[in-house]
Short mmCIF file of all heavy atoms in Angstrom, two decimals:
data_model
loop_
_atom_site.label_atom_id
_atom_site.label_comp_id
_atom_site.label_asym_id
_atom_site.label_seq_id
_atom_site.Cartn_x
_atom_site.Cartn_y
_atom_site.Cartn_z
N ALA A 1369 100.35 99.51 92.04
CA ALA A 1369 101.68 99.32 92.71
C ALA A 1369 102.81 99.38 91.67
O ALA A 1369 102.69 98.71 90.49
CB ALA A 1369 101.61 98.00 93.40
N ASN A 1370 103.88 100.01 91.92
CA ASN A 1370 104.99 100.16 91.11
C ASN A 1370 106.30 99.98 91.83
O ASN A 1370 106.46 100.47 92.86
CB ASN A 1370 105.03 101.54 90.46
CG ASN A 1370 103.88 101.73 89.53
OD1 ASN A 1370 103.86 101.01 88.43
ND2 ASN A 1370 103.04 102.58 89.80
N LEU A 1371 107.21 99.18 91.26
CA LEU A 1371 108.50 98.92 91.77
C LEU A 1371 109.36 100.20 91.56
O LEU A 1371 109.56 100.57 90.41
CB LEU A 1371 109.17 97.66 91.08
CG LEU A 1371 110.45 97.22 91.66
CD1 LEU A 1371 110.29 96.78 93.12
CD2 LEU A 1371 110.87 96.01 90.79
N GLU A 1372 109.78 100.87 92.62
CA GLU A 1372 110.57 102.06 92.44
C GLU A 1372 112.05 101.74 92.24
O GLU A 1372 112.60 102.23 91.29
CB GLU A 1372 110.45 102.91 93.73
CG GLU A 1372 109.19 103.76 93.90
CD GLU A 1372 109.22 104.57 95.16
OE1 GLU A 1372 110.28 104.73 95.77
OE2 GLU A 1372 108.22 105.21 95.32
N ARG A 1373 112.56 100.92 93.12
CA ARG A 1373 113.98 100.57 92.87
C ARG A 1373 114.29 99.33 93.73
O ARG A 1373 113.51 98.88 94.63
CB ARG A 1373 114.87 101.70 93.37
CG ARG A 1373 114.97 102.00 94.84
CD ARG A 1373 115.97 103.11 95.09
NE ARG A 1373 116.09 103.21 96.57
CZ ARG A 1373 115.56 104.17 97.26
NH1 ARG A 1373 114.65 105.01 96.61
NH2 ARG A 1373 115.71 104.29 98.55
N ARG A 1374 115.40 98.62 93.32
CA ARG A 1374 115.77 97.38 94.07
C ARG A 1374 117.26 97.58 94.37
O ARG A 1374 118.06 98.01 93.60
CB ARG A 1374 115.50 96.22 93.09
CG ARG A 1374 115.90 94.83 93.63
CD ARG A 1374 115.76 93.70 92.73
NE ARG A 1374 114.52 93.73 91.90
CZ ARG A 1374 113.43 93.24 92.37
NH1 ARG A 1374 113.31 92.64 93.59
NH2 ARG A 1374 112.31 93.22 91.69
N THR A 1375 117.56 97.08 95.63
CA THR A 1375 118.96 96.99 96.00
C THR A 1375 119.11 95.58 96.60
O THR A 1375 118.60 95.32 97.68
CB THR A 1375 119.34 98.02 97.07
OG1 THR A 1375 118.88 99.31 96.66
CG2 THR A 1375 120.79 97.98 97.46
N GLY A 1376 119.73 94.73 95.88
CA GLY A 1376 119.85 93.31 96.35
C GLY A 1376 118.45 92.73 96.31
O GLY A 1376 117.67 92.76 95.40
N ARG A 1377 118.13 92.13 97.51
CA ARG A 1377 116.73 91.59 97.60
C ARG A 1377 115.82 92.46 98.30
O ARG A 1377 114.69 92.18 98.61
CB ARG A 1377 116.82 90.19 98.42
CG ARG A 1377 117.48 89.21 97.61
CD ARG A 1377 117.28 87.78 97.96
NE ARG A 1377 115.89 87.41 97.89
CZ ARG A 1377 115.31 86.52 98.77
NH1 ARG A 1377 116.07 85.88 99.66
NH2 ARG A 1377 114.12 86.25 98.65
N ASN A 1378 116.22 93.79 98.65
CA ASN A 1378 115.46 94.78 99.11
C ASN A 1378 114.87 95.66 97.98
O ASN A 1378 115.55 95.88 97.07
CB ASN A 1378 116.11 95.62 100.11
CG ASN A 1378 116.28 94.96 101.50
OD1 ASN A 1378 115.39 94.60 102.13
ND2 ASN A 1378 117.56 94.72 101.86
N CYS A 1379 113.58 96.07 98.19
CA CYS A 1379 113.03 96.93 97.15
C CYS A 1379 112.15 98.02 97.78
O CYS A 1379 111.64 97.80 98.93
CB CYS A 1379 112.29 96.20 96.04
SG CYS A 1379 110.92 95.17 96.71
N TRP A 1380 111.89 99.07 97.12
CA TRP A 1380 110.97 100.13 97.47
C TRP A 1380 109.80 99.99 96.51
O TRP A 1380 110.06 99.98 95.27
CB TRP A 1380 111.54 101.48 97.47
CG TRP A 1380 112.29 101.80 98.68
CD1 TRP A 1380 113.71 101.75 98.87
CD2 TRP A 1380 111.82 102.31 99.87
NE1 TRP A 1380 114.04 102.08 100.13
CE2 TRP A 1380 112.85 102.45 100.81
CE3 TRP A 1380 110.61 102.55 100.38
CZ2 TRP A 1380 112.80 102.92 102.06
CZ3 TRP A 1380 110.43 103.01 101.76
CH2 TRP A 1380 111.51 103.16 102.58
N ILE A 1381 108.60 100.07 96.95
CA ILE A 1381 107.33 99.93 96.15
C ILE A 1381 106.43 101.07 96.52
O ILE A 1381 106.22 101.30 97.72
CB ILE A 1381 106.69 98.54 96.36
CG1 ILE A 1381 107.65 97.35 96.06
CG2 ILE A 1381 105.38 98.47 95.62
CD1 ILE A 1381 107.10 96.03 96.63
N GLU A 1382 105.92 101.73 95.49
CA GLU A 1382 104.86 102.73 95.74
C GLU A 1382 103.49 102.08 95.50
O GLU A 1382 103.37 101.42 94.41
CB GLU A 1382 105.12 103.92 94.90
CG GLU A 1382 104.05 105.03 95.14
CD GLU A 1382 104.24 106.25 94.33
OE1 GLU A 1382 103.82 106.24 93.11
OE2 GLU A 1382 104.76 107.20 94.82
N LEU A 1383 102.58 102.38 96.37
CA LEU A 1383 101.22 101.71 96.18
C LEU A 1383 100.14 102.78 96.40
O LEU A 1383 100.25 103.67 97.25
CB LEU A 1383 101.05 100.63 97.29
CG LEU A 1383 102.00 99.52 97.31
CD1 LEU A 1383 103.03 99.70 98.44
CD2 LEU A 1383 101.29 98.16 97.48
N ASN A 1384 99.16 102.80 95.55
CA ASN A 1384 98.01 103.60 95.62
C ASN A 1384 96.73 102.84 95.80
O ASN A 1384 96.54 101.94 94.95
CB ASN A 1384 97.96 104.49 94.39
CG ASN A 1384 99.10 105.42 94.21
OD1 ASN A 1384 99.24 106.38 94.99
ND2 ASN A 1384 99.95 105.15 93.22
N LEU A 1385 95.95 103.15 96.81
CA LEU A 1385 94.77 102.29 97.02
C LEU A 1385 93.64 103.25 97.63
O LEU A 1385 93.96 104.34 98.31
CB LEU A 1385 95.02 101.13 97.95
CG LEU A 1385 95.68 101.46 99.25
CD1 LEU A 1385 94.86 100.96 100.40
CD2 LEU A 1385 97.01 100.69 99.28
N ALA A 1386 92.36 102.91 97.50
CA ALA A 1386 91.30 103.66 97.90
C ALA A 1386 90.53 103.06 99.13
O ALA A 1386 89.73 103.70 99.68
CB ALA A 1386 90.37 104.03 96.81
N GLU A 1387 90.86 101.84 99.44
CA GLU A 1387 90.04 101.13 100.39
C GLU A 1387 90.68 101.23 101.80
O GLU A 1387 89.96 101.74 102.69
CB GLU A 1387 89.99 99.60 100.01
CG GLU A 1387 88.69 99.08 100.18
CD GLU A 1387 88.55 97.68 99.62
OE1 GLU A 1387 89.55 97.02 99.22
OE2 GLU A 1387 87.38 97.16 99.59
N GLY A 1388 91.86 100.82 102.00
CA GLY A 1388 92.49 101.05 103.25
C GLY A 1388 92.07 100.14 104.34
O GLY A 1388 91.90 100.57 105.49
N LYS A 1389 91.84 98.84 104.05
CA LYS A 1389 91.37 97.91 105.10
C LYS A 1389 92.59 97.68 106.06
O LYS A 1389 93.71 97.97 105.79
CB LYS A 1389 91.05 96.56 104.43
CG LYS A 1389 89.78 96.56 103.72
CD LYS A 1389 89.42 95.19 103.16
CE LYS A 1389 88.16 95.23 102.41
NZ LYS A 1389 87.86 94.11 101.53
N ASN A 1390 92.29 97.06 107.21
CA ASN A 1390 93.25 96.84 108.25
C ASN A 1390 94.51 96.11 107.79
O ASN A 1390 94.32 94.98 107.28
CB ASN A 1390 92.54 96.12 109.38
CG ASN A 1390 93.51 95.96 110.61
OD1 ASN A 1390 94.37 96.79 110.87
ND2 ASN A 1390 93.25 94.91 111.38
N ARG A 1391 95.66 96.70 107.86
CA ARG A 1391 96.91 96.15 107.50
C ARG A 1391 96.97 95.65 106.05
O ARG A 1391 97.66 94.72 105.70
CB ARG A 1391 97.33 95.04 108.43
CG ARG A 1391 97.42 95.48 109.90
CD ARG A 1391 97.78 94.40 110.89
NE ARG A 1391 99.04 93.73 110.53
CZ ARG A 1391 100.25 94.22 110.88
NH1 ARG A 1391 100.40 95.45 111.44
NH2 ARG A 1391 101.34 93.53 110.62
N GLU A 1392 96.25 96.31 105.18
CA GLU A 1392 96.04 95.90 103.74
C GLU A 1392 97.34 95.79 103.06
O GLU A 1392 97.72 94.80 102.39
CB GLU A 1392 95.11 96.80 103.03
CG GLU A 1392 94.87 96.50 101.60
CD GLU A 1392 93.76 97.34 100.94
OE1 GLU A 1392 93.11 98.15 101.64
OE2 GLU A 1392 93.65 97.15 99.72
N VAL A 1393 98.20 96.82 103.12
CA VAL A 1393 99.43 96.78 102.28
C VAL A 1393 100.35 95.69 102.81
O VAL A 1393 100.92 94.92 101.99
CB VAL A 1393 100.17 98.23 102.45
CG1 VAL A 1393 101.53 98.14 101.88
CG2 VAL A 1393 99.32 99.30 101.83
N ARG A 1394 100.45 95.53 104.15
CA ARG A 1394 101.34 94.44 104.67
C ARG A 1394 100.88 93.11 104.22
O ARG A 1394 101.59 92.19 103.81
CB ARG A 1394 101.41 94.62 106.12
CG ARG A 1394 102.20 95.77 106.64
CD ARG A 1394 102.22 95.83 108.18
NE ARG A 1394 102.75 97.08 108.65
CZ ARG A 1394 104.04 97.38 108.78
NH1 ARG A 1394 104.92 96.51 108.37
NH2 ARG A 1394 104.47 98.59 109.21
N ARG A 1395 99.52 92.84 104.32
CA ARG A 1395 98.95 91.57 103.93
C ARG A 1395 99.12 91.33 102.40
O ARG A 1395 99.49 90.15 102.07
CB ARG A 1395 97.52 91.49 104.38
CG ARG A 1395 97.38 91.39 105.90
CD ARG A 1395 95.95 91.19 106.30
NE ARG A 1395 95.96 90.92 107.68
CZ ARG A 1395 95.05 91.47 108.52
NH1 ARG A 1395 94.02 92.19 108.06
NH2 ARG A 1395 95.03 91.27 109.83
N VAL A 1396 98.94 92.24 101.58
CA VAL A 1396 98.96 92.07 100.16
C VAL A 1396 100.45 91.74 99.71
O VAL A 1396 100.69 90.93 98.89
CB VAL A 1396 98.38 93.30 99.37
CG1 VAL A 1396 98.77 93.19 97.94
CG2 VAL A 1396 96.87 93.29 99.53
N LEU A 1397 101.36 92.52 100.31
CA LEU A 1397 102.78 92.32 99.97
C LEU A 1397 103.26 91.00 100.52
O LEU A 1397 104.07 90.31 99.81
CB LEU A 1397 103.66 93.43 100.43
CG LEU A 1397 103.41 94.79 99.66
CD1 LEU A 1397 104.27 95.91 100.20
CD2 LEU A 1397 103.53 94.61 98.16
N ALA A 1398 102.76 90.52 101.66
CA ALA A 1398 103.11 89.22 102.22
C ALA A 1398 102.61 88.15 101.35
O ALA A 1398 103.29 87.14 101.04
CB ALA A 1398 102.59 89.10 103.64
N PHE A 1399 101.41 88.35 100.75
CA PHE A 1399 100.80 87.39 99.85
C PHE A 1399 101.71 87.19 98.64
O PHE A 1399 101.81 86.14 98.02
CB PHE A 1399 99.41 87.97 99.33
CG PHE A 1399 98.79 87.12 98.32
CD1 PHE A 1399 98.11 85.89 98.63
CD2 PHE A 1399 98.68 87.56 97.01
CE1 PHE A 1399 97.48 85.17 97.71
CE2 PHE A 1399 98.02 86.81 96.09
CZ PHE A 1399 97.47 85.61 96.40
N LEU A 1400 102.46 88.28 98.22
CA LEU A 1400 103.39 88.18 97.11
C LEU A 1400 104.76 87.66 97.48
O LEU A 1400 105.66 87.62 96.76
CB LEU A 1400 103.53 89.63 96.46
CG LEU A 1400 102.30 90.14 95.78
CD1 LEU A 1400 102.64 91.54 95.19
CD2 LEU A 1400 101.73 89.22 94.66
N GLY A 1401 104.83 87.29 98.80
CA GLY A 1401 106.14 86.71 99.31
C GLY A 1401 107.15 87.74 99.85
O GLY A 1401 108.33 87.44 99.94
N LEU A 1402 106.72 88.90 100.08
CA LEU A 1402 107.50 89.99 100.58
C LEU A 1402 107.33 90.25 102.03
O LEU A 1402 106.29 90.08 102.56
CB LEU A 1402 107.28 91.34 99.82
CG LEU A 1402 107.46 91.28 98.25
CD1 LEU A 1402 106.84 92.57 97.63
CD2 LEU A 1402 108.92 91.14 98.00
N GLN A 1403 108.42 90.61 102.71
CA GLN A 1403 108.37 90.96 104.06
C GLN A 1403 108.57 92.50 104.23
O GLN A 1403 109.70 93.00 103.86
CB GLN A 1403 109.44 90.24 104.91
CG GLN A 1403 109.43 90.59 106.32
CD GLN A 1403 110.55 89.72 107.07
OE1 GLN A 1403 111.29 88.99 106.48
NE2 GLN A 1403 110.64 90.05 108.46
N VAL A 1404 107.63 93.21 104.63
CA VAL A 1404 107.73 94.65 104.75
C VAL A 1404 108.55 95.04 105.94
O VAL A 1404 108.27 94.65 107.14
CB VAL A 1404 106.29 95.33 104.84
CG1 VAL A 1404 106.37 96.84 105.06
CG2 VAL A 1404 105.54 95.04 103.62
N SER A 1405 109.56 95.90 105.74
CA SER A 1405 110.48 96.39 106.89
C SER A 1405 110.19 97.79 107.25
O SER A 1405 110.50 98.27 108.34
CB SER A 1405 111.90 96.14 106.55
OG SER A 1405 112.23 96.80 105.40
N ARG A 1406 109.54 98.51 106.32
CA ARG A 1406 109.14 99.95 106.54
C ARG A 1406 107.99 100.28 105.72
O ARG A 1406 107.99 99.96 104.53
CB ARG A 1406 110.37 100.85 106.29
CG ARG A 1406 110.16 102.31 106.73
CD ARG A 1406 111.37 103.09 106.58
NE ARG A 1406 111.13 104.51 107.09
CZ ARG A 1406 111.94 105.48 106.69
NH1 ARG A 1406 113.01 105.28 106.04
NH2 ARG A 1406 111.65 106.68 107.19
N LEU A 1407 107.02 100.97 106.27
CA LEU A 1407 105.86 101.32 105.59
C LEU A 1407 105.48 102.82 105.99
O LEU A 1407 105.32 103.15 107.12
CB LEU A 1407 104.65 100.44 105.91
CG LEU A 1407 103.32 100.66 105.15
CD1 LEU A 1407 103.52 100.63 103.61
CD2 LEU A 1407 102.31 99.67 105.60
N ILE A 1408 105.37 103.66 104.85
CA ILE A 1408 105.16 105.06 105.14
C ILE A 1408 103.89 105.55 104.28
O ILE A 1408 103.94 105.24 103.06
CB ILE A 1408 106.39 105.93 104.61
CG1 ILE A 1408 107.69 105.41 105.23
CG2 ILE A 1408 106.20 107.38 104.90
CD1 ILE A 1408 108.90 105.84 104.51
N ARG A 1409 102.89 106.10 104.92
CA ARG A 1409 101.85 106.68 104.10
C ARG A 1409 102.30 108.11 103.67
O ARG A 1409 102.69 108.92 104.55
CB ARG A 1409 100.56 106.80 104.84
CG ARG A 1409 99.52 107.44 103.93
CD ARG A 1409 98.02 107.14 104.33
NE ARG A 1409 97.68 107.57 105.68
CZ ARG A 1409 96.62 107.11 106.40
NH1 ARG A 1409 95.85 106.20 105.84
NH2 ARG A 1409 96.44 107.57 107.52
N THR A 1410 102.40 108.35 102.41
CA THR A 1410 102.95 109.61 101.94
C THR A 1410 101.86 110.63 101.46
O THR A 1410 102.22 111.74 101.33
CB THR A 1410 103.95 109.35 100.76
OG1 THR A 1410 103.16 108.66 99.67
CG2 THR A 1410 105.15 108.49 101.18
N ALA A 1411 100.71 110.15 101.29
CA ALA A 1411 99.57 111.09 100.77
C ALA A 1411 98.24 110.45 101.06
O ALA A 1411 98.05 109.34 101.16
CB ALA A 1411 99.76 111.34 99.36
#
């Protein structure tokens, strides 16, 4: 996971994973205290 950019308290994060469990990205980012407002699979 890499922080792409930040604007105030909003940020864009790129994540690469091989497992893909149910709602994995949302759960992991929530664990870090983040609230996902948009999620896009790009590849």
Side-chain angles (χ1 to χ4, degrees):
N1370 292 294
L1371 187 61
E1372 283 185 5
R1373 70 176 186 266
R1374 182 186 311 279
T1375 308
R1377 292 199 60 210
N1378 284 300
C1379 58
W1380 279 98
I1381 301 166
E1382 183 180 78
L1383 304 102
N1384 295 292
L1385 53 123
E1387 224 170 9
K1389 287 182 179 166
N1390 185 29
R1391 300 180 59 80
E1392 180 171 356
V1393 171
R1394 292 179 188 278
R1395 288 185 174 137
V1396 167
L1397 293 181
F1399 176 76
L1400 295 178
L1402 299 170
Q1403 181 181 359
V1404 175
S1405 58
R1406 188 171 181 197
L1407 183 57
I1408 308 163
R1409 180 159 58 198
T1410 59

